[in-house]
Amino acid sequence: MEAHSSGLNRKRRREGPNGETENDERARKIPRRTSGLKEPAPFADQLEVVTTQYTRVSLDEARLGTPENRPVRVYADGIFDMFHSGHARALMQAKCLFPNTHLIVGVCSDDLTHKLKGFTVMNEDERYDAVSHCRYVDEVVRNAPWTLTPEFLAKHRIDFVAHDDIPYVSAESDDVYKHIKEAGMFAPTQRTEGISTSDIITRIVRDYDVYVRRNLQRGYTAKELNVSFINEKKYHLQERVDKVKQKVRDVEEKSKEFVQKVEEKSIDLIQKWEEKSREFIGNFLQMFGPDGALKHMLKEGKGRMLQAISPRHSPSSSPTREERSPSPVFRLPFFTKTSPPSSPPHYSDAHSISEDEDDRP
């Protein structure tokens, strides 16, 4: 037990700033390795019989460590119905009791278990096979006895018996391990809280309808499940109702997601609209505000109009003829010759002669 505790406790101690030691609870990384186990543990009745003299190892010798060819033989027994992690952890603790441990696990038969404890879910062959495939087990004893006798301990060369320290009450004794404890061969282990065969069966019984419907859905018949015709129809109806409820829940979730997306988009649109409205208002005030560009444009246009319609003031003295600048002469491009004299020609004599000629008969 101590070896197991030290193996699981991975705390490291370090010195603090004031010299005190602190626990470093950071989990160490476990190196990658491939287990050498490739076969299940053998059954005791299939192994060769050992004829050498058996000498039991003391507790001190076991803790110090034994030679490789003489491991400490630890025995753990049980029913192991519906083999679960609580069973595996108990066997792991038994395996880790000493540096060099050979773990022997005894499994009681169906007849003995049904007689002294109760009905099991798994039959004895299934329980034997489940235990043999646990990685911590080195040997499996089938049809193990309910109470360990000296003959049984000597036959299997057992040094210590591992089990939790809670007294195991039986019809014949208040604690079936009492004589083992008195002989100094008992090695206590710890139970795993929250997991046991009885707990698992309680879960199944509590949710019986759920598991019946589950197996009916997976193809098991009502006869195989020992379910009546009426209950079978009831379970099928409940299954359909649950499917409809699930569809309704899916629609509700999708509608919630849709509403959430619409709200997010509406919020984005509102934010964008606020930004655009601020920009529009700013541009409007910049153009039409009290100090806007339109006001300056109107003032400037008004000034130009007043300047254009107002008369110019005459100078105090007019310039002389010589000081005036000559007027520009404009000529049309198709008049290339000098224009005739401005005064018209006098034809008085000619006109009088023509008149005399006209008076002639």
Side-chain angles (χ1 to χ4, degrees):
M1 187 63 195
E2 294 177 358
H4 171 66
S5 299
S6 62
L8 291 181
N9 188 2
R10 301 183 182 275
K11 295 182 181 179
R12 294 182 296 176
R13 302 183 69 84
R14 62 180 181 181
E15 293 186 358
N18 298 326
E20 71 277 5
T21 58
E22 298 177 354
N23 289 330
D24 186 3
E25 298 184 1
R26 292 177 299 179
R28 292 187 307 176
K29 297 294 184 181
I30 301 174
R32 297 180 182 272
R33 63 181 181 182
T34 302
S35 176
L37 301 177
K38 297 181 180 179
E39 297 178 355
F43 298 115
D45 52 6
Q46 296 175 345
L47 297 174
E48 297 178 352
V49 179
V50 180
T51 58
T52 58
Q53 183 67 28
Y54 163 66
T55 303
R56 181 175 169 271
V57 177
S58 66
L59 182 61
D60 293 335
E61 291 174 344
R63 287 177 175 173
L64 290 175
T66 57
E68 185 176 354
N69 59 352
R70 176 56 176 93
V72 180
R73 296 175 67 85
V74 177
Y75 178 81
D77 59 358
I79 309 302
F80 301 105
D81 189 22
M82 301 180 68
F83 191 88
H84 51 75
S85 62
H87 295 140
R89 287 178 177 274
L91 298 179
M92 179 183 67
Q93 294 179 55
K95 180 70 174 179
C96 297
L97 283 171
F98 307 108
N100 185 16
T101 302
H102 180 86
L103 181 59
I104 308 167
V105 180
V107 183
C108 299
S109 64
D110 286 345
D111 293 338
L112 188 62
T113 304
H114 297 169
K115 178 182 177 181
L116 298 176
K117 188 172 183 179
F119 193 76
T120 58
V121 177
M122 301 169 63
N123 60 44
E124 58 184 24
D125 293 329
E126 293 170 339
R127 293 185 285 113
Y128 296 154
D129 188 63
V131 173
S132 67
H133 284 82
C134 179
R135 63 184 300 177
Y136 310 111
V137 179
D138 299 304
E139 184 179 338
V140 177
V141 177
R142 293 183 286 193
N143 193 17
W146 198 261
T147 302
L148 303 178
T149 62
E151 293 77 16
F152 179 84
L153 297 174
K155 177 183 177 181
H156 294 281
R157 299 171 172 265
I158 296 170
D159 296 314
F160 297 95
V161 177
H163 200 273
D164 61 80
D165 203 12
I166 302 173
Y168 200 90
V169 181
S170 179
E172 301 176 355
S173 174
D174 294 336
D175 188 3
V176 296
Y177 298 104
K178 183 178 180 180
H179 64 289
I180 302 294
K181 295 176 181 178
E182 293 174 351
M185 298 177 62
F186 188 79
T189 58
Q190 298 294 325
R191 296 177 66 91
T192 303
E193 297 294 334
I195 181 69
S196 68
T197 302
S198 299
D199 292 337
I200 295 174
I201 294 175
T202 301
R203 297 179 201 171
I204 296 173
V205 173
R206 182 186 59 199
D207 301 325
Y208 171 78
D209 291 349
V210 175
Y211 292 110
V212 170
R213 288 163 52 189
R214 169 184 177 271
N215 282 10
L216 285 173
Q217 188 179 5
R218 295 194 174 190
Y220 288 87
T221 63
K223 184 177 180 180
E224 291 174 328
L225 298 173
N226 195 23
V227 175
S228 64
F229 177 79
I230 296 175
N231 286 335
E232 180 186 8
K233 298 304 178 183
K234 181 186 73 174
Y235 291 137
H236 283 304
L237 178 61
Q238 289 177 349
E239 186 68 27
R240 294 191 187 97
V241 172
D242 288 346
K243 287 182 179 179
V244 173
K245 290 181 179 179
Q246 185 62 38
K247 289 182 180 179
V248 172
R249 283 194 291 267
D250 294 340
V251 172
E252 288 179 353
E253 291 178 359
K254 290 181 180 179
S255 62
K256 288 179 181 179
E257 293 177 358
F258 176 76
V259 171
Q260 186 177 1
K261 290 181 180 179
V262 170
E263 289 179 353
E264 292 176 356
K265 289 185 178 180
S266 63
I267 291 172
D268 293 338
L269 291 174
I270 290 172
Q271 291 177 351
K272 290 180 180 179
W273 182 82
E274 288 179 351
E275 293 175 359
K276 293 294 183 181
S277 63
R278 291 193 191 98
E279 183 180 356
F280 176 77
I281 293 171
N283 294 335
F284 182 84
L285 292 176
Q286 187 177 2
M287 176 61 70
F288 302 101
D291 297 328
L294 182 62
K295 184 176 181 180
H296 292 291
M297 292 172 61
L298 292 175
K299 286 183 178 180
E300 186 177 355
K302 183 179 179 181
R304 290 180 178 177
M305 291 176 63
L306 292 174
Q307 185 178 2
I309 63 177
S310 63
R312 296 183 179 180
H313 298 287
S314 300
S316 58
S317 58
S318 299
T320 59
R321 186 179 182 88
E322 288 79 5
E323 292 177 355
R324 294 178 182 173
S325 58
S327 301
V329 177
F330 296 96
R331 296 180 180 178
L332 296 174
F334 47 82
F335 290 108
T336 55
K337 294 182 179 182
T338 306
S339 60
S342 59
S343 58
H346 299 280
Y347 298 107
S348 59
D349 294 337
H351 184 68
S352 61
I353 292 172
S354 63
E355 287 180 353
D356 292 338
E357 291 178 355
D358 292 335
D359 293 336
R360 291 178 183 178

